[in-house]
Amino acid sequence: MLSPARFGLAAAFLLVLRLPAPAPVSAARPIVAGKPAPSEATATARWLAAQNTWGVVRSIAYLVGHSLIPAHIFLSTISSDLNGAPFGNVVSYSDGLPGEGHGIPYFYLTTLDPTARDALEDERTSFTLSEFPLGTCGKIDPENPTCSKLTLTGKLKLVDLQSSEADLAKSALFTKHPEMKDWPKNHHFKIFKLEIENIFLIDWFGGPKPISPSQYLEFGRNQQSVMSS
């Protein structure tokens, strides 16, 4: 017969054997309140558009003779000279008031900069956002597929300043970027928007997620919690 001490030790050992094994460590993204799961691609795309305040853009450099002279960086527009190499830049934007994002990026641009000038000549544009600036990627590298990145491609359109859409866009921009209100009036800033035609999202391993523009734009109408988190 086992002594009381040995009996207790044996019982404890059997209890340990019956406990479930700890879950293996995975490559899962950090758990952040309001951040969509990798399986929710459309939610992730809208979440990125709502939470970010700026994005990365590319341009074409002017080609003069055999030398590449970098042009001022465009909002992924096509330069007036189509020969050259792409460059990147950062542009501020807003897709709506806090908690009321519509997914459409609005920009406050001046034609003193090539960004707006080139958009008026050739509307083809792409705009790229990364999750990394939001601080929700943890310690992984920004290029890691689990750190989401979104590229919206389409046409950069001038918004009629007399329209109700312009009022909405200006309110959204000035709320997210208060200093815009004080930018020089003689620079004649105008409001542009990106009419989205294609969406490229990486938010996990396995390649880009298929999202149509209609899926992207319709999503927020019934999922305001994602936009406001």
Side-chain angles (χ1 to χ4, degrees), residues 165-187:
E165 183 178 21
D167 294 335
L168 170 66
K170 189 177 292 187
S171 179
L173 285 163
F174 291 176
T175 298
K176 250 184 181 178
H177 308 279
E179 74 171 69
M180 283 183 174
K181 292 180 294 195
D182 300 320
W183 286 357
K185 302 300 180 186
N186 62 354
H187 285 195

Side-chain angles (χ1 to χ4, degrees), residues 62-140:
Y62 291 107
L63 182 63
V64 180
H66 297 288
S67 300
L68 279 177
I69 300 178
H72 290 275
I73 305 306
F74 313 133
L75 177 67
S76 295
T77 53
I78 305 299
S79 73
S80 55
D81 185 342
L82 298 182
N83 295 314
F87 283 80
N89 193 23
V90 171
V91 176
S92 299
Y93 80 101
S94 178
D95 80 326
L97 294 170
E100 300 177 12
H102 299 283
I104 300 173
Y106 289 100
F107 308 90
Y108 199 47
L109 307 172
T110 171
T111 52
L112 295 177
D113 186 274
T115 304
R117 292 203 307 270
D118 286 343
L120 294 175
E121 290 190 23
D122 192 324
E123 298 174 332
R124 291 176 294 172
T125 302
S126 65
F127 185 51
T128 301
L129 305 173
S130 170
E131 180 188 349
F132 195 80
L134 301 178
T136 54
C137 290
K139 297 181 179 180
I140 62 176

